[in-house]
């Protein structure tokens, strides 16, 4: 029941925020803060209390609830979380608070509707991380799209109509493929067991013919890989990120991308073990290409938000790599990368948004020597850039290291190629720092000489400090997170079995063709 | 004819009486409000009379009509749509510089034709119903011709509809004649019985040709590609209530008739027919969506999108007899309910902001509606998102149903076309939503919502609630439809 409450709080909070705008334009953000704090309280309480442990084939579940919804198709309101789901929930609610912090002073128009959309996106994401019925999962998967579309389309920057449309079309069309694949699975459950079912555990029993399994698996993979996003389905992301308001970018990078990775771990591989195993070399190759190609693209950007967006795609490549290595190191690495990247990219987008708010431009060519004027902001930027590069001692290092460690067992050649991405990351990150924050101080056009941009406000400072703290925690004592996600991931590994064998580049290429 | 049979025909009789009453009222004293009231009351009574009909069904009323759960369900749906359009018409027509009363009479008679269509199991009644509906529509489409300034093209639309509709009726008649010449009967089920008596599983050639001719006629009314060319012009030229009627009741009655014909007569046993219908479905989906892409007139846009929606519907129709106890019939019925809800809602919003003096059917008229009139914008957005098939709305469940039926019937190619089509569809639906979100510096003030519009707004509220309730908790409707299609 507690999970439904969590979702309900966010939905109702959103509606209330919208309604409260009529009383006072500043009220919605307070309402949003209250409902987010309430949700955070619930999630933390879940974490601390440990929940009732329910053992099932898919691992150890903390909470597992089910109510009938549409019996005609065997659809139920099944929700549940294990350690992995809990970590995702913590990330979601925490970044929700950060997005709220980013929007606190930035959003001044139609505040009620903005916080409504913010909270409804989060409610959709929480639903995605908790749903154990594939219909329900898809339902939430789509529910989070519309508010996000509205956030980009209404409060976005100059080219928002294009970006919002592109975001929506990519995710929606791939979503329909996902729906079709889910329906195939449900139908084959009907053929084999006589009833329709969308239940996660029931669908694991469906046996599909090999070729057909590959097609259905591809439906799932495309649906999730578009959201992740993986090369070559990533082209919506730079546009969406650069045009979205800061809070929107924070949610997109921090939370929405993780739903794709979560879907791959929770659904794609466990539901189609054989097809996934034979697809793994292709997926890992895609990951490696994405890591290198997007790192290179990032280096070519002038727009600071586009740059961070491309680095996001590059970093999500490590997640894909870790998942399709399909061993405990790889999966733990993927989960840690998801968490750490969630914090670091959210922080970087907030910084980019902060710069845009102060300088009215995202063009890095117009920025120089900002350290002199904005020391605190610059220091934060340095910290999070270094984190994104994968500096030991911070969370991203743990994640990427574990991903590579896992991938090394699966395919040495792909791992070696992917590891080059770490070097590229260092190049573009330090280049940004050098270009924007060092050198002679230059005042961008549009900002008067007298109007010196202000350094971080208290709200911003608190947000950055919290995220920095999180990254240090992950880097210094990752065990607290690994222990949480471990049992669930081990359960998945046992249920599916490890993918076999070392795969050379020739085999990977052969698989790709 | 026994008393029980008369009771079974009660809805038809009540609707006929209403039509006569409206006509007599015109002879006694013309009054817009009274005419509207009589029509609305007649339709309401007719809906209520279904309570008497339900326990008596299923029954054959003469060899021509069959009243069963299926026909009762669609009768109710048609009457409700007719009632909603009557209520929307009142404020719309109230500033017409001519008599308004006849519009309601035409509307009620058209409803009668539609009711006959959904109850018919015989080609004669099917044809009678179709013609009654069409003849009234000619008048409804040309209705604003009577006003002094004719800015649009109702006459062109009406003539176009008349000529092409007559042509399609010709096709249907030819098909019927061919069937009659060979089998000596026009009853759906006895044709099927004769057919199954023949040796071999392959239907004879005359039967395939006849069925294709009949389906061509039906496809014209459903505006499936390649018989869709009239649709955008007629939708654009007709006054909004007539467009809404054509888009909802017209499509609904035709689709229900086609569904009964296809499930009873076993036409899908012929591979040739399945092949032709599959091509029609695929082309309708792709062409409809592509043509809608860059329309800036919302009536034209919705007309093209209706072509695409009929294509989706055809996917489910094609799965009707692949497997015993299949999802196909349920999917078709559910999709029709959803389609009527969302079309009525979308046209309803347009009717509320328009009147017969000025139709606001250009996308620019809706710019910034979110900040001018949030309520109408909310309804419109919900309807458009439902047409696009986004969750929380009934359109999503309907699309889900079609996909499920398609998976069951293994129509992979068509499902793929549907996914591509939906992707394209999203673009133009979202374009309207985006325009509504874009603020506008200057806008002409909207018509003040007075007492006259109150009922229209109530209807919109009901439609919105139904849209969301069936979208979030479709179980009740699903079990109802499951029972309904079993009687088919």
């Amino acid at each position: 029941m507690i999970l439904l409450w969590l979702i309900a709080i966010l939905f109702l909070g959103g509606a209330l925020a919208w309604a409260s705008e009529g009383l006072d334009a500043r009220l919605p953000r307070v309402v949003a803060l209250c409902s987010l704090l309430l949700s955070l309280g619930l999630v933390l309480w879940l974490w601390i209390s440990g929940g009732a442990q329910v053992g099932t084939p898919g691992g150890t579940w903390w909470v597992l609830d089910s109510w009938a919804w549409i019996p005609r198709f065997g659809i139920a309101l099944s929700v549940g979380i294990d350690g992995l789901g809990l970590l995702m929930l913590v990330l979601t609610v925490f970044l929700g608070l950060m997005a709220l912090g980013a929007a606190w002073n930035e959003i001044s128009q139609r505040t009620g509707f903005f916080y409504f959309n913010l909270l409804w996106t989060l409610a959709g994401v929480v639903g995605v991380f908790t749903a154990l019925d594939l219909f329900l999962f898809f339902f939430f998967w789509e529910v989070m799209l519309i508010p996000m579309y509205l956030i980009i389309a209404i409060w976005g920057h100059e080219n928002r109509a294009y970006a919002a449309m592109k975001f929506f079309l990519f995710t929606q069309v791939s979503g329909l493929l996902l729906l079709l694949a889910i329906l195939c699975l449900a139908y084959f459950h009907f053929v084999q067991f006589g009833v329709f079912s969308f239940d996660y555990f029931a669908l694991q029993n469906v046996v599909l013919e090999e070729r057909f399994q590959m097609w259905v698996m591809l439906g799932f993979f495309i649906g999730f890989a578009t959201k992740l996003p993986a090369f070559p389905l990533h082209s919506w992301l730079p546009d969406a990120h650069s045009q979205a308001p800061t809070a929107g970018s924070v949610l997109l990078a921090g939370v929405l991308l993780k739903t794709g990775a979560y879907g791959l771990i929770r659904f794609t591989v466990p539901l189609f073990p054989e097809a996934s195993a034979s697809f793994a070399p292709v997926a890992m190759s895609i990951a490696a290409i994405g890591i290198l190609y997007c790192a290179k693209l990032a280096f070519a950007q002038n727009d600071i938000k586009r740059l961070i967006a491309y680095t996001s795609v590059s970093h999500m490549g490590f997640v894909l790599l870790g998942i399709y290595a399909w061993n405990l190191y790889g999966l733990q690495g993927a989960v840690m990368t998801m968490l750490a990247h969630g914090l670091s990219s959210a922080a970087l987008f907030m910084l980019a948004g902060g710069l845009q708010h102060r300088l009215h431009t995202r063009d890095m060519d117009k920025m120089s020597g900002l350290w002199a004027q904005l020391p605190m902001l610059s220091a934060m930027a340095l910290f999070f850039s270094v984190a994104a590069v994968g500096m030991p001692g911070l969370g991203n290092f743990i994640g990427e290291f574990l991903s590579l460690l896992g991938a090394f067992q699966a395919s040495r050649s792909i791992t070696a190629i992917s590891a080059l991405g770490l070097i590229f990351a260092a190049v573009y990150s330090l280049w940004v720092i050098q270009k924007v924050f060092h050198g002679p101080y230059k005042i961008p056009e549009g900002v008067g000489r007298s109007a010196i941009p202000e350094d971080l406000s208290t709200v911003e400072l608190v947000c950055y400090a919290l995220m920095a703290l999180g990254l240090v925690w992950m880097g210094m004592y990752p065990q607290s997170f690994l222990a949480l996600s471990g049992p669930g991931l081990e359960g998945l590994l046992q249920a599916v079995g490890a993918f076999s064998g070392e795969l050379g580049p020739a085999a990977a290429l052969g698989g790709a063709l | 004819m026994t008393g029980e049979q008369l009771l079974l025909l009660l809805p038809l009789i009540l609707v006929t009486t209403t039509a006569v009453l409206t006509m007599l009222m015109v002879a006694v004293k013309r009054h817009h409000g009274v005419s509207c009231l009589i029509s609305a009351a007649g339709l309401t009574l007719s809906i209520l009379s279904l309570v008497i009909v339900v326990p008596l069904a299923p029954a054959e009323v003469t060899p021509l009509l069959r009243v069963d759960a299926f026909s009762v369900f669609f009768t109710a749906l048609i009457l409700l749509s007719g009632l909603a359009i009557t209520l929307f018409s009142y404020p719309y027509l109230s500033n017409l510089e001519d008599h308004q009363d006849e519009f309601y009479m035409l509307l009620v008679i058209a409803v009668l034709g539609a009711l006959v269509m959904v109850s018919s199991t015989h080609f004669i009644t099917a044809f009678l119903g179709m013609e009654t509906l069409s003849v009234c529509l000619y008048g409804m489409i040309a209705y604003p011709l009577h006003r002094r300034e004719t800015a649009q093209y109702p006459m062109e639309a009406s003539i176009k509809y008349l000529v092409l509709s007559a042509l399609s009726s010709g096709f249907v008649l030819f098909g019927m004649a061919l069937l009659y010449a060979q089998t000596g009967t026009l009853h759906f089920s006895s044709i099927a019985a004769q057919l199954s008596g023949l040796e071999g599983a392959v239907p004879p050639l005359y039967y395939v040709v006849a069925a294709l001719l009949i389906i061509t006629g039906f496809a014209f009314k459903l505006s499936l590609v390649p018989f869709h060319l009239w649709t955008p012009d007629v939708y654009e030229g007709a006054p909004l209530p007539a467009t809404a009627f054509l888009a909802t009741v017209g499509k609904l009655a035709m689709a229900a008739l086609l569904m009964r014909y296809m499930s009873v007569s076993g036409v899908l046993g012929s591979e040739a027919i399945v092949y032709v219908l599959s091509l029609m479905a695929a082309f309708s989906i792709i062409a409809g969506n592509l043509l809608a892409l860059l329309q800036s007139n919302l009536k034209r846009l919705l007309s093209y999108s209706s072509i695409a929606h009929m294509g989706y519907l055809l996917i489910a129709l094609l799965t009707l007899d692949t497997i015993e106890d299949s999802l196909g019939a349920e999917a078709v019925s559910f999709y029709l309910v959803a389609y009527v809800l969302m079309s009525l809602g979308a046209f309803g919003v347009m009717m509320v902001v328009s009147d017969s003096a000025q139709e606001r059917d250009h996308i620019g008229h809706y710019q910034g509606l979110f900040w001018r009139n949030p309520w109408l914008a909310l309804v419109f957005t919900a309807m458009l998102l439902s047409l696009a098939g986004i969750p929380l709305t009934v359109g999503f469940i309907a699309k889900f149903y079609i996909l499920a039926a398609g998976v069951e019937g293994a129509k992979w190619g068509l499902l793929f076309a549907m996914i591509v089509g939906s992707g394209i569809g999203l673009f133009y639906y979202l374009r309207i939503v985006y325009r509504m979100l874009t603020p506008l510096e200057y806008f002409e003030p909207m018509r003040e919502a007075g007492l006259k519009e109150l009922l229209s707004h109530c209807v919109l509220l009901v439609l919105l609630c139904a849209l969301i309730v069936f979208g979030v908790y479709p179980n009740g409707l699903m079990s109802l439809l499951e029972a309904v299609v079993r009687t088919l």
Side-chain angles (χ1 to χ4, degrees), chain B residues 201 203 207-209 211-212 215 224 261-262 266-283 311 314-323 409-414:
Chain B
Y207 181 76
V208 173
V209 173
L212 281 179
I215 286 171
L224 289 163
Y261 170 64
M262 280 168 94
V267 279
L268 290 174
S270 156
E271 257 180 49
I273 294 172
V274 171
Y275 189 65
V276 168
L277 283 174
S278 305
L279 275 183
M280 273 187 188
F283 279 114
L314 202 53
I315 299 180
L317 273 171
L318 274 167
T319 64
L320 270 184
D321 73 349
T322 36
I323 303 161
K411 307 274 179 211
W412 302 114
L414 289 178

Side-chain angles (χ1 to χ4, degrees), chain B residues 251-292:
Chain B
K251 297 275 157 76
L252 189 62
M254 196 64 246
L257 174 62
L258 185 61
M259 184 172 159
R260 198 194 280 269
Y261 170 64
M262 280 168 94
S263 57
V264 173
S265 70
V267 279
L268 290 174
S270 156
E271 257 180 49
I273 294 172
V274 171
Y275 189 65
V276 168
L277 283 174
S278 305
L279 275 183
M280 273 187 188
F283 279 114
S284 300
I285 292 169
I286 301 297
N289 279 317
L290 280 178
L291 288 169

Side-chain angles (χ1 to χ4, degrees), chain A residues 69 71-72 110 142 169 172 183, chain B residues 330 371 391 423 426 472 475:
Chain A
W69 182 17
R72 173 74 184 88
R110 302 177 184 125
E142 297 274 285
L169 280 183
Q172 175 74 23
L183 268 166
Chain B
E330 263 176 86
W371 320 116
L426 269 177
V472 175
N475 211 33

Side-chain angles (χ1 to χ4, degrees), chain A residues 11 18 68-73 75 110 113 120 135 138-143 146 149-150 152-155 159-162 164-165 168-169 172-174 176-180 182-185 187-188 190 196 198 212, chain B residues 323 325-327 330 370-371 378 385 388-393 396-397 399-401 403-404 407-409 412 415-416 418-420 422-424 426-428 430-431 433-434 437-439 471-475 478-479 482:
Chain A
F11 273 130
W18 195 359
W69 182 17
I70 308 176
R72 173 74 184 88
F73 286 99
I75 295 168
R110 302 177 184 125
F113 196 45
W120 275 48
F135 184 88
F138 185 79
F139 187 83
F140 283 124
W141 181 261
E142 297 274 285
V143 162
I146 291 279
Y149 167 82
L150 291 173
I152 302 175
I154 301 180
W155 293 273
N159 202 8
R160 55 182 183 267
Y162 172 77
M165 182 69 84
F168 202 88
L169 280 183
Q172 175 74 23
V173 173
S174 62
L176 277 173
L177 281 177
L178 175 64
L179 177 63
L180 187 61
I182 292 175
L183 268 166
C184 287
L185 210 53
Y187 178 64
F188 278 93
F190 173 73
F196 272 103
F198 288 81
F212 197 74
Chain B
I323 303 161
D325 209 17
S326 76
L327 284 173
E330 263 176 86
F370 244 98
W371 320 116
L378 180 74
L385 292 181
I390 306 293
L392 289 175
T393 63
F396 169 65
I397 307 284
K399 194 167 270 181
F400 169 80
Y401 240 127
L403 283 172
V407 166
E408 195 186 49
W412 302 114
L415 289 181
F416 190 68
M418 183 171 174
I419 288 178
V420 173
S422 303
I424 305 171
L426 269 177
F427 178 82
Y428 56 82
L430 279 185
R431 203 164 61 101
V433 174
Y434 185 74
L437 290 169
T438 315
V472 175
Y473 196 71
N475 211 33
M478 280 181 178
S479 359
E482 210 182 344

Side-chain angles (χ1 to χ4, degrees), chain A residues 44-276:
Chain A
L44 290 181
W45 181 76
L46 258 178
W47 190 350
I48 292 161
S49 68
Q53 308 271 326
V54 194
T56 58
T60 316
W61 296 89
W62 290 39
V63 185
L64 214 49
D65 280 320
S66 190
W67 297 270
W69 182 17
I70 308 176
R72 173 74 184 88
F73 286 99
I75 295 168
L77 282 175
S78 302
V79 288
I81 50 164
D82 56 0
L84 171 64
L86 181 71
L87 281 178
M88 292 297 124
L89 286 190
V90 173
L91 180 74
T92 306
V93 179
F94 178 71
L95 284 181
L97 276 168
M98 294 302 112
L100 183 69
W104 197 263
N105 290 319
E106 187 186 307
I107 302 296
S108 51
Q109 287 189 319
R110 302 177 184 125
T111 47
F113 196 45
F114 180 85
Y115 292 109
F116 168 82
N117 285 318
L118 187 80
L119 290 180
W120 275 48
T121 309
L122 287 170
V125 176
V126 169
V128 163
F129 286 139
T130 51
L132 285 179
D133 179 286
L134 267 80
F135 184 88
L136 185 69
F137 172 81
F138 185 79
F139 187 83
F140 283 124
W141 181 261
E142 297 274 285
V143 162
M144 68 187 177
L145 287 185
I146 291 279
M148 198 64 222
Y149 167 82
L150 291 173
I151 286 180
I152 302 175
I154 301 180
W155 293 273
H157 302 307
E158 64 283 350
N159 202 8
R160 55 182 183 267
Y162 172 77
M165 182 69 84
K166 196 168 176 181
F167 161 73
F168 202 88
L169 280 183
F170 264 78
T171 37
Q172 175 74 23
V173 173
S174 62
L176 277 173
L177 281 177
L178 175 64
L179 177 63
L180 187 61
I182 292 175
L183 268 166
C184 287
L185 210 53
Y187 178 64
F188 278 93
H189 189 274
F190 173 73
V191 170
Q192 286 167 19
F193 299 94
V195 282
F196 272 103
S197 175
F198 288 81
D199 185 61
Y200 174 58
F201 304 111
L203 289 179
Q204 288 181 8
N205 301 326
V206 175
V207 184
L208 292 176
E209 183 206 337
E210 199 179 322
R211 241 185 81 221
F212 197 74
Q213 192 185 33
M214 183 56 100
W215 282 109
V216 180
M217 190 281 294
L218 276 179
F220 273 76
F221 182 79
I222 291 175
F224 294 136
T226 309
K227 199 56 150 275
L228 188 59
F231 173 85
L233 300 167
H234 64 277
S235 78
W236 62 269
L237 185 129
D239 289 310
H241 272 302
S242 55
Q243 298 305 324
T246 309
S249 300
V250 168
L251 281 191
L252 265 176
V255 183
L256 261 70
L257 303 192
K258 310 306 180 280
T259 59
Y262 174 82
L264 287 173
I265 298 178
R266 173 77 77 218
F267 296 109
T268 311
V269 180
L271 287 174
F272 313 98
E274 294 89 15
S276 300

